Amino acid sequence: MQATTLAKEQLFSMYRMMVTIRRFEEALRNLFFQGQIPGFVHLSIGEEAVPTGVCAALTDKDYITTTHRGHGHMLAKGGKPKLMMAEMFGRRTGYCKGKGGSMHIVSYDLGILGANGIVGGGIPIAVGAALASSFRGNDAVAVAFFGDGASNEGTFHESANLAGLWKLPVIFVCQNNGYAEFTPTSESTAVKDIAIRAQGYNMPGVIVDGNDVLAVYEVVKTAVARAKRGEGPTLIEAKTYRWEGHVVGEQAFVGEYRPAAEIEAAKQRCAIVLFAKKLLATGFIEQAELDRIAAEVQRKIDEAIAFAQSSPFPEPQEALDDVFAP
Amino acid sequence: MPVIGFIEAIRQAIGEEMERDPSVFIMGEDVKLGAFAATRGLFEKFGAARVRNTPISEAGIAGAGIGAAMAGMRPIVEIEFASFFYCCFDQVCNQAAKLRYMSGGQARLPLTFRCVYGAMGSAAAQHSEVIYPQFLAAPGLKIVVPSGAAEAKGLLKAAIRDDNPVLVFEHGRLGFTQGEVPDGEYIIPLGRGAVKRAGTDLTIIAIGAMVPKALTVAEEMAKDGVSVEVWDPQTLVPLDEEGMLASVAKTGRVVIADEGHLRGGAAGDLAAIIIDKGFDYLNAPIKRVTALDVPIPFSPPLENYVLPDEAKIKAAVQEILP
Ligand SMILES: Cc1ncc(C[n+]2csc(CCOP(=O)(O)OP(=O)(O)O)c2C)c(N)n1
């Protein structure tokens, strides 16, 4: 096992988190096909090591912004499956009282400043949170999660420049899953590695295996330390792969646009299996314990679904609330 | 007349114009596969140079469209969802809209923007927007809102041939509809509205996806002996004021149905024009049926509550009938 500063309990909780993200999204996919989830659902199955590794290096007072594909980031930052699930179902008990849905979840208390329906929309917001942190001297760092596709938006470049210029405590985490919608990164991005773009903004650019949760954790930990020393931002490119389509149900209207062998190869490098193997090899943990964690997670997800299903829809007139602060 | 789908009508319009004029090309995010299928098959037919799959970079794409148009091409720029226009507002409103004017009439911008707009079922606030009112406030842009397959084809072809920046707004829900589209060369000139159903008691001015809803209401009300005219502006800029006022003069009563918001919206804009120029024709106050003034919510009961529908149009009609 590679060097890690993590204690046994932290390793367990990382494993639990990866399984939670996987099961949460698998459930979501099934519920969508059953017609229980309105709107669009974007899954990050196969990418669980990135949110888990990143958020393990953060504290409660740190901030994140995420994307349309943000369930994993929210769970890893402490999002409660129940409240997230209820939001997906459009219920009043959800994080946003049914107003936001999957793509727009916010949990102010948890420092989740928003999933986002606009590609690149959250990146400057994370920079702003880091700016506030530098004003207030409260040591909080902000992480902007975004995709390789988003790194072609102006918002990424403008944000990176501000952060580099002002040495803000922000970490840009580009979760490169190889595709933006239906277009492979190689057909949309002038550079092979997104991390190289860091050079233009005077910050370190680091590439990490996005399927190796401990490797992700370590690079983020280094970036957090750097941010807290006032040395500024880091761009981390975590290379991973999305097993599922861009949006659930897309096969019906776009068909398959990726080589089957490519998807199969990615599945062979399942982040959860890789991590389990490592844990077992250390002798820290027995298979039975991993099974117990998986069963416990499944129970939690089932509870979340039951909670969502039994929660009421909002009253229609509630649509008029929350436009302005009182 | 052949019956074709709304999306197929758009595909035909683009394909035919690309065939006719080698300076026409299309670019946008995922136009190769066609995120909404409107461009499907064009890549195979016309190749990667003329069906240009772009990175996700709306400001860059919009600006590149402007430059290409100024330098002699006739670009069609696809901005997937209408809300993404916010990412390129400067290029569209500060550049495209003003370049001809600021250059004293020198610049020519034969440029078409297309996008999918409107609520299509729990897409929530960032994917459900009616954004053309924002562009009404930026003189220099033509604005087209087709209400069915025939309109989509005829208006889009006119937009592509126009020498100005034209924004075409295609409602996501209309993507599931079909309609009769005349065979062969079919063009609807920009700036001409159309009576979609003749009537004498009241005019519903309906925009885009509100047209089929208004027609449903008109049919229902005919059973009660009320004769409702449905008028479709087809293009908001330039606006067929004459056609609109003629309908108002005929019926004396007006309901305006639009899926945009009430404040600062297209319905208010049309109402103001009617009051300005046709006040004497009016026998009752003008009623606007629009989305409520909140961002479009996610949860289905909330979304239904906020959006205009047949029942709300009918209630408005009944309110101002004598
Ligand atoms: C401004 C904007 N442009 C386009 C879209 C449509 N869109 C949604 S997700 C997506 C791809 C994003 O790719 P990437 O940033 O790599 O993230 P991934 O989906 O791979 O996680 C696109 C183009 C959008 N939501 N917002």
Side-chain angles (χ1 to χ4, degrees):
Chain A
M1 182 127 150
Q2 73 209 78
T4 177
T5 49
L6 288 166
K8 188 168 163 180
E9 195 37 53
Q10 285 173 298
L11 293 169
F12 282 17
S13 84
M14 284 163 90
Y15 183 79
R16 190 179 298 114
M17 181 51 65
M18 288 169 72
V19 177
T20 301
I21 298 170
R22 175 76 55 96
R23 296 283 172 268
F24 184 91
E25 291 206 318
E26 284 171 348
L28 209 50
R29 179 186 54 198
N30 297 339
L31 291 161
F32 182 88
F33 283 124
Q34 290 164 20
Q36 298 202 53
I37 308 284
F40 308 146
V41 174
H42 305 84
L43 302 177
S44 62
I45 293 176
E47 307 181 33
E48 297 86 353
V50 182
T52 305
V54 172
C55 292
L58 303 180
T59 69
D60 288 351
K61 65 177 185 189
D62 296 326
Y63 298 102
I64 67 165
T65 62
T66 172
T67 69
H68 58 288
R69 204 179 300 290
H71 309 137
H73 308 123
M74 274 172 272
L75 287 164
K77 190 68 175 55
K80 292 196 175 45
K82 275 183 166 183
L83 307 189
M84 284 174 56
M85 197 57 90
E87 186 62 31
M88 314 285 165
F89 273 79
R91 305 304 162 107
R92 179 199 278 144
T93 50
Y95 268 115
C96 313
K97 300 184 238 168
K99 294 212 170 79
S102 162
M103 277 193 292
H104 308 99
I105 291 187
V106 171
S107 174
Y108 226 64
D109 297 340
L110 296 172
I112 298 170
L113 302 186
N116 216 302
I118 300 298
V119 171
I123 307 173
I125 296 173
V127 169
L131 178 62
S133 165
S134 76
F135 271 124
R136 302 174 67 196
N138 65 0
D139 229 24
V141 302
V143 170
F145 285 104
F146 57 99
D148 47 288
S151 80
N152 292 320
E153 289 278 14
T155 47
F156 165 71
H157 295 277
E158 296 179 29
S159 303
N161 187 52
L162 282 181
L165 182 69
W166 293 338
K167 300 222 173 302
L168 296 176
V170 60
I171 302 166
F172 299 97
V173 176
C174 178
Q175 191 160 326
N176 186 346
N177 60 18
Y179 286 82
E181 269 182 7
F182 319 117
T183 301
T185 313
S186 58
E187 289 180 25
S188 69
T189 304
V191 289
K192 185 168 154 288
D193 299 314
I194 311 293
I196 201 175
R197 292 182 161 167
Q199 274 183 32
Y201 306 109
N202 196 21
M203 68 178 91
V206 188
I207 297 175
V208 63
D209 177 359
N211 283 24
D212 180 343
V213 67
L214 295 179
V216 173
Y217 168 79
E218 292 299 337
V219 294
V220 176
K221 205 178 142 215
T222 305
V224 168
R226 175 184 155 83
K228 291 196 175 178
R229 287 194 305 268
E231 291 170 20
T234 304
L235 170 61
I236 295 169
E237 178 183 8
K239 305 244 191 212
T240 180
Y241 193 83
R242 83 165 141 72
W243 293 11
E244 300 283 318
H246 164 65
V247 64
V248 182
E250 71 180 19
Q251 271 79 5
F253 62 98
V254 293
E256 192 46 87
Y257 46 89
R258 302 181 295 180
E262 181 184 289
I263 302 173
E264 206 30 58
K267 290 186 177 175
Q268 293 305 316
R269 289 202 72 248
C270 171
I272 298 179
V273 172
L274 291 179
F275 191 38
K277 277 189 183 152
K278 269 189 192 168
L279 290 175
L280 292 168
T282 58
F284 265 175
I285 193 167
E286 308 267 300
Q287 183 62 43
E289 207 153 355
L290 296 183
D291 294 344
R292 188 184 54 71
I293 291 177
E296 182 193 304
V297 164
Q298 189 60 52
R299 210 164 40 245
K300 262 196 122 165
I301 300 299
D302 291 344
E303 271 170 34
I305 296 167
F307 172 76
Q309 284 169 333
S310 63
S311 292
F313 277 110
E315 287 302 320
Q317 296 82 339
E318 291 173 34
L320 306 185
D321 301 341
D322 302 322
V323 180
F324 297 108
Chain B
M1 267 193 273
V3 172
I4 62 172
F6 185 80
I7 305 261
E8 172 60 20
I10 294 165
R11 197 183 297 129
Q12 281 185 8
I14 298 170
E16 287 173 18
E17 292 307 300
M18 286 182 73
E19 196 110 50
R20 200 182 62 85
D21 180 350
S23 67
V24 176
F25 71 99
I26 182 154
M27 64 177 162
E29 294 158 12
D30 275 316
V31 291
K32 183 174 167 187
L33 196 58
F36 293 103
T39 53
R40 194 152 301 162
L42 296 174
F43 182 87
E44 289 71 18
K45 187 157 180 205
F46 296 103
R50 291 182 72 199
V51 180
R52 240 165 224 273
N53 216 46
T54 63
I56 313 174
S57 44
E58 290 77 13
I61 305 165
I66 295 169
M70 292 178 82
M73 298 297 285
R74 205 169 269 282
I76 306 169
V77 173
E78 179 173 304
I79 303 288
E80 267 183 12
F81 281 90
S83 301
F84 309 163
F85 260 120
Y86 286 116
C87 300
C88 50
F89 241 53
D90 172 66
Q91 289 298 325
V92 180
C93 295
N94 258 332
Q95 315 298 336
K98 297 175 179 172
L99 273 161
R100 181 173 180 84
Y101 186 78
M102 292 188 303
S103 65
Q106 295 173 69
R108 210 175 57 103
L109 284 93
L111 170 62
T112 304
F113 287 99
R114 299 176 36 243
C115 70
V116 168
Y117 82 100
M120 49 210 89
S122 288
Q126 292 177 331
H127 286 75
S128 302
E129 198 147 8
V130 174
I131 200 179
Y132 41 76
Q134 281 83 332
F135 294 109
L136 282 176
L141 304 170
K142 294 192 177 179
I143 299 175
V144 174
V145 195
S147 57
E151 292 82 354
K153 181 163 182 187
L155 291 165
L156 182 53
K157 281 171 76 90
I160 295 168
R161 293 186 196 187
D162 199 281
D163 276 350
N164 295 284
V166 184
L167 276 52
V168 181
F169 291 89
E170 302 155 9
H171 199 289
R173 282 231 187 264
L174 290 179
F176 303 108
T177 65
Q178 298 197 315
E180 290 188 343
V181 179
D183 263 330
E185 178 81 341
Y186 177 59
I187 299 222
I188 302 175
L190 303 187
R192 200 177 297 165
V195 174
K196 292 290 156 75
R197 184 188 193 283
T200 50
D201 295 335
L202 180 140
T203 301
I204 303 177
I205 298 174
I207 302 173
M210 286 293 124
V211 172
K213 292 191 196 302
L215 288 170
T216 305
V217 171
E219 291 305 324
E220 267 176 36
M221 303 212 62
K223 290 183 207 135
D224 307 332
V226 180
S227 168
V228 173
E229 176 148 309
V230 175
W231 190 77
D232 175 0
Q234 303 190 130
T235 57
L236 293 173
V237 182
L239 178 67
D240 180 3
E241 288 189 5
E242 226 174 275
M244 180 169 78
L245 293 167
S247 180
V248 177
K250 184 165 133 195
T251 64
R253 291 169 205 275
V254 181
V255 167
I256 307 176
D258 179 38
E259 197 182 294
H261 291 119
L262 186 69
R263 295 299 306 279
D269 183 63
L270 299 184
I273 293 168
I274 294 168
I275 289 168
D276 229 12
K277 302 188 175 167
F279 189 73
D280 291 344
Y281 306 138
L282 290 172
N283 299 318
I286 299 170
K287 287 284 157 198
R288 288 172 289 163
V289 183
T290 66
L292 303 180
D293 282 328
V294 298
I296 307 303
F298 168 76
S299 187
L302 302 181
E303 190 186 50
N304 290 337
Y305 181 72
V306 164
L307 292 175
D309 59 12
E310 287 86 345
K312 292 178 189 175
I313 298 172
K314 194 168 175 179
V317 169
Q318 279 163 337
E319 211 179 316
I320 55 166
L321 281 176

